[in-house]
Amino acid sequence: MDFLEPKIKVATKKACNSMNTPPKPKHIKTIIAKSYTNDMPMFYQELNKTMLSNNILHQYKSFVTLHRVLRDGSPSLIGGYLDSFYPVIYKAYVKLQQQNNTEPLLQITKHYAQYIQMRVVFHQQHRFFTGALNIPEYETLPEEYYTDLKCLSTLSYIMDLMDYLLVVPLPIIHNYSSDRTKLDCTIPLILDANELYNVIIFFMHNLAHIEENESVFTFLYNRLLRIYQALVNLFGEARNNLYISNNMTVPTLKPLPTFNVTQQQKDEYRLKHPNCITKEKDRIAPKYTKEMNDDGETKELCKVGNQFVRILTQFIQVCSLPTADKESPDFKLMAMLKCLIDELQQPENYPALKTHIWKTFIGTHFLMQKENAIHVVEIKQNILVMELVQCIDNIENELIRVCKTHDGIDEFNKSVDEFISFIDKQLKEVSNKRTKNDQIFNALDLELGGLSVDNFDWDGLSIAVPKTDKVPIVCKVETKSKTVNPKFKELLDASRKLAAETQNLAICAKNMDSSEDTFPSF
């Protein structure tokens, strides 16, 4: 054993070294082989050092190595060893989020670490999944996973996990198609994406047999459709990349099912799984149906409430601080949102639902603090956030109407104005800073030889603009007309102008030295 332990230690150290190359397959294979013995503590001890290193290559390759070992290693890895190592993963993730360097590999590692952290939490909550994210034997799946509420909660988390995964690989393939080091993490991510898609299909199929609320299933199906389209795009790009196609067989995506289930199939499913519909849901179902059919106010309340929930979900995803803990306002607002989503699916108590929607709306100011504004500007999402704030502002009148209250609205509007001012101030501070690219543009002035910018032949300048994916933000709310706060328009215009100027500078810099990764795509 003394001879074997150093071998896995050396393999881990070499796999996670500081060379700008992918971890060598032979070192990964050594670690995987030793995962079936009792040598894994040595692996985690060595990984602890590299994952918390200040060298970004150490950190990035540590996450890649861990990811590959979890996928192909012993099933015993998903358990006590991983649980005890999770604090190190989380600490490394937080450490990465606190860095503001624009280095491309750092930006990639930030997103990658966030996905790995969520993946480990998923394993802690659902032990029967293998390290490759599949269910080994569906026959042995715990019966609770065939129930309505467990299906919904599991499906929601898996879809969230898929969303975080899809952030990483496609931009890397587009922008670093020949960088083997950066491309290496896309291989296990693509394999994960295929397995997660299959699991989503499984739970959606179960849910089709038991979910009585058609709007809930439609919402989930539309979300699945977007995931499917993103995967088709990702797998197609992966097949066209030489490095990826040489190192893996890109999976073939299964066709998207329609989930058309007959009443007979539903009856057979419920006979096989008699507890698939919870007793609590059975008890409130008649009341829920009556209210939804007969009470127009409940329908209107749920409609506006769901519109608000969609906006707030996006707002939380962008504005919440990566360092938030259970005592933070960010976490409390997320807990309120989760409870509200559950209530909107089963609106048993109309007065309580009104109160909870309104309290969640007023509680949005928890994410409108100065530190949130700084975070938004740092991750360059100020335009998106301002659009979301405007959506929240637009839905205000509708919420006042359906909730029949305006308690706390003055303080809320004050928080909105302060948040706008925080972002405005932060943007001005950023725009006034001298960047590290000043020398590039000074050199550009010399190249122009004092030529007036107005007389320069910009049309003759050929610049290849990097391809980027546009993510549509749908926050349209059917509301009564309301005068748009001029601050929104001014700040949005200023933000867009700053973004356009920044992109122009990036294009010029890239044209001066196309081989230098000065401006990351993340």
Side-chain angles (χ1 to χ4, degrees):
M1 186 61 66
D2 292 338
F3 174 77
L4 294 176
E5 285 184 348
K7 191 171 183 180
I8 193 172
K9 181 177 180 180
V10 170
T12 306
K13 187 180 296 185
K14 288 185 176 180
C16 305
N17 61 26
S18 59
M19 296 178 63
N20 191 15
T21 56
K24 288 187 177 180
K26 66 177 182 179
H27 300 317
I28 302 294
K29 289 179 181 178
T30 298
I31 300 170
I32 290 172
K34 298 304 177 186
S35 70
Y36 290 88
T37 66
N38 295 323
D39 298 330
M40 289 314 293
M42 186 69 71
F43 164 69
Y44 282 116
Q45 288 172 13
E46 194 62 36
L47 199 65
N48 186 3
K49 301 174 186 176
T50 55
M51 190 169 282
L52 296 178
S53 167
N54 292 324
N55 186 309
I56 188 59
L57 276 165
H58 279 313
Q59 294 172 309
Y60 169 75
K61 293 170 79 170
S62 296
F63 281 107
V64 173
T65 301
L66 176 63
H67 194 179
R68 286 180 174 272
V69 172
L70 288 178
R71 278 198 56 84
D72 301 326
S74 168
S76 63
L77 291 173
I78 310 300
Y81 285 137
L82 189 60
D83 289 349
S84 60
F85 191 69
Y86 174 73
V88 177
I89 297 173
Y90 185 76
K91 186 176 180 180
Y93 158 69
V94 172
K95 183 178 180 181
L96 285 165
Q97 304 307 315
Q98 292 172 344
Q99 299 183 48
N100 298 322
N101 194 331
T102 58
E103 182 185 355
L105 187 59
L106 173 61
Q107 300 303 318
I108 292 171
T109 310
K110 279 185 177 183
H111 292 282
Y112 190 35
Q114 186 172 23
Y115 168 72
I116 296 296
Q117 182 259 338
M118 286 191 65
R119 192 186 198 273
V120 174
V121 172
F122 178 74
H123 282 301
Q124 291 174 335
Q125 295 176 350
H126 309 281
R127 295 291 188 184
F128 58 87
F129 277 87
T130 67
L133 288 177
N134 56 44
I135 302 174
E137 296 180 5
Y138 285 94
E139 293 77 10
T140 61
L141 187 66
E143 187 63 26
E144 64 173 324
Y145 284 90
Y146 291 96
T147 64
D148 47 5
L149 296 181
K150 193 65 174 180
C151 267
L152 277 171
S153 62
T154 307
L155 193 57
S156 177
Y157 194 97
I158 294 174
M159 285 184 168
D160 289 343
L161 189 62
M162 179 72 91
D163 288 341
Y164 278 100
L165 183 154
L166 291 172
V167 169
V168 185
L170 198 56
I172 297 175
I173 297 173
H174 280 164
N175 296 287
Y176 307 103
S177 58
S178 58
D179 191 325
R180 297 186 303 122
T181 303
K182 295 183 178 70
L183 284 170
D184 197 55
C185 72
T186 64
I187 295 175
L189 285 171
I190 290 170
L191 294 172
D192 275 10
N194 186 60
E195 295 296 345
L196 286 174
Y197 172 75
N198 293 333
V199 173
I200 289 173
I201 296 299
F202 170 75
F203 281 107
M204 284 287 289
H205 182 265
N206 287 349
L207 202 62
H209 290 79
I210 51 181
E211 181 54 56
E212 300 293 344
N213 191 336
E214 185 177 346
S215 62
V216 171
F217 191 83
T218 302
F219 171 77
L220 292 171
Y221 184 81
N222 290 336
R223 191 175 179 186
L224 172 60
L225 183 60
R226 291 192 295 271
I227 290 173
Y228 178 79
Q229 292 168 344
L231 289 177
V232 170
N233 190 18
L234 171 61
F235 288 6
E237 294 290 340
R239 290 188 185 92
N240 294 330
N241 184 276
L242 189 61
Y243 176 79
I244 296 175
S245 58
N246 285 343
N247 285 274
M248 70 174 295
T249 301
V250 179
T252 301
L253 203 61
K254 293 180 180 178
L256 188 65
T258 57
F259 302 107
N260 292 326
V261 180
T262 65
Q263 187 59 46
Q264 181 181 354
Q265 290 173 323
K266 289 183 179 181
D267 294 339
E268 291 174 354
Y269 181 93
R270 296 178 185 187
L271 185 63
K272 185 177 180 180
H273 307 286
N275 298 319
C276 62
I277 299 179
T278 61
K279 293 181 180 179
E280 181 181 1
K281 188 171 182 180
D282 283 338
R283 177 177 60 81
I284 67 174
K287 184 175 181 180
Y288 168 70
T289 304
K290 181 178 184 302
E291 284 189 354
M292 290 302 292
N293 289 338
D294 301 338
D295 192 345
E297 289 186 349
T298 303
K299 285 185 178 181
E300 187 69 14
L301 180 66
C302 290
K303 178 182 177 182
V304 178
N306 281 312
Q307 290 173 344
F308 168 63
V309 161
R310 287 193 291 271
I311 298 169
L312 181 57
T313 300
Q314 291 180 294
F315 191 68
I316 288 176
Q317 289 175 348
V318 180
C319 290
S320 60
L321 300 175
T323 56
D325 55 29
K326 290 186 177 181
E327 300 301 322
S328 66
D330 306 48
F331 187 88
K332 292 177 181 177
L333 184 60
M334 284 188 279
M336 293 169 67
L337 176 62
K338 184 179 183 302
C339 292
L340 181 58
I341 292 173
D342 293 339
E343 286 191 63
L344 285 168
Q345 292 176 1
Q346 301 174 2
E348 180 184 12
N349 190 323
Y350 175 72
L353 181 59
K354 285 196 304 182
T355 302
H356 295 163
I357 290 176
W358 184 256
K359 285 185 176 180
T360 307
F361 170 69
I362 296 298
T364 308
H365 80 274
F366 287 146
L367 286 179
M368 296 185 183
Q369 309 302 317
K370 184 176 181 180
E371 54 268 27
N372 299 102
I374 294 173
H375 172 66
V376 165
V377 175
E378 285 178 349
I379 63 175
K380 299 179 177 62
Q381 294 293 338
N382 45 290
I383 296 177
L384 170 60
V385 167
M386 291 311 303
E387 290 175 348
L388 291 173
V389 171
Q390 187 167 354
C391 289
I392 293 173
D393 189 62
N394 289 341
I395 204 173
E396 178 185 308
N397 281 347
E398 286 295 287
L399 288 171
I400 291 174
R401 180 176 62 82
V402 297
C403 295
K404 300 176 182 178
T405 182
H406 51 77
D407 293 342
I409 196 65
D410 292 336
E411 292 80 1
F412 174 80
N413 287 329
K414 181 180 178 182
S415 298
V416 172
D417 292 338
E418 290 177 351
F419 187 59
I420 295 171
S421 299
F422 288 150
I423 293 181
D424 190 23
K425 182 179 179 181
Q426 190 66 19
L427 284 172
K428 289 178 180 177
E429 290 179 0
V430 171
S431 63
N432 289 334
K433 289 181 180 178
R434 290 177 59 86
T435 69
K436 64 179 181 180
N437 301 301
D438 284 345
Q439 293 181 352
I440 294 176
F441 299 107
N442 290 339
L444 182 60
D445 291 337
L446 294 176
E447 291 289 335
L448 294 176
L451 181 65
S452 171
V453 175
D454 294 332
N455 298 327
F456 186 72
D457 182 17
W458 294 102
D459 294 333
L461 183 62
S462 176
I463 299 175
V465 180
K467 182 179 179 182
T468 58
D469 290 332
K470 295 184 179 179
V471 180
I473 304 298
V474 181
C475 299
K476 186 175 180 181
V477 181
E478 297 178 2
T479 65
K480 295 181 179 179
S481 60
K482 178 181 177 181
T483 304
V484 178
N485 190 334
K487 289 185 179 180
F488 286 121
K489 187 176 186 304
E490 293 175 5
L491 190 52
L492 278 171
D493 291 342
S495 298
R496 291 192 178 101
K497 185 176 180 181
L498 179 60
E501 292 297 331
T502 303
Q503 185 179 15
N504 289 337
L505 294 178
I507 293 170
C508 291
K510 188 168 184 177
N511 190 56
M512 292 295 296
D513 187 0
S514 60
S515 65
E516 181 180 355
D517 288 334
T518 306
F519 296 91
S521 59
F522 280 82

